[in-house]
Amino acid sequence: MLNTYFRVIVGTMVLLSVVLTVYVNPNWMWFTVFIGVNLIQSAFTKWCLLETILVKLGVKKEGVGCSVK
């Protein structure tokens, strides 16, 4: 379940940042960059802030989030 929530939230944030970049201000692209950098760092550190937040909110950790454990 955690993996599903993670993918939906990250996918939504990426799409939202692209829409904001196109229709509001090009500086919103930095939000997309932040998401990408966070995904890359989680691959190396095996820690993801979104995963930590979702677990604290009570999402069951059946699968893996953005880090393989």
Side-chain angles (χ1 to χ4, degrees), residues 12-65:
T12 301
M13 289 192 317
V14 168
L15 290 174
L16 177 64
S17 67
V18 170
V19 168
L20 289 170
T21 298
V22 171
Y23 293 109
V24 177
N25 189 316
N27 284 326
W28 279 102
M29 187 57 70
W30 289 107
F31 185 48
T32 310
V33 171
F34 170 76
I35 295 167
V37 169
N38 188 26
L39 289 170
I40 292 169
Q41 74 80 27
S42 70
F44 292 104
T45 63
K46 307 297 186 230
W47 179 80
C48 177
L49 178 61
L50 179 58
E51 182 178 329
T52 303
I53 292 169
L54 289 173
V55 168
K56 287 188 178 189
L57 289 174
V59 176
K60 293 183 181 178
K61 200 171 186 176
E62 296 169 5
V64 294

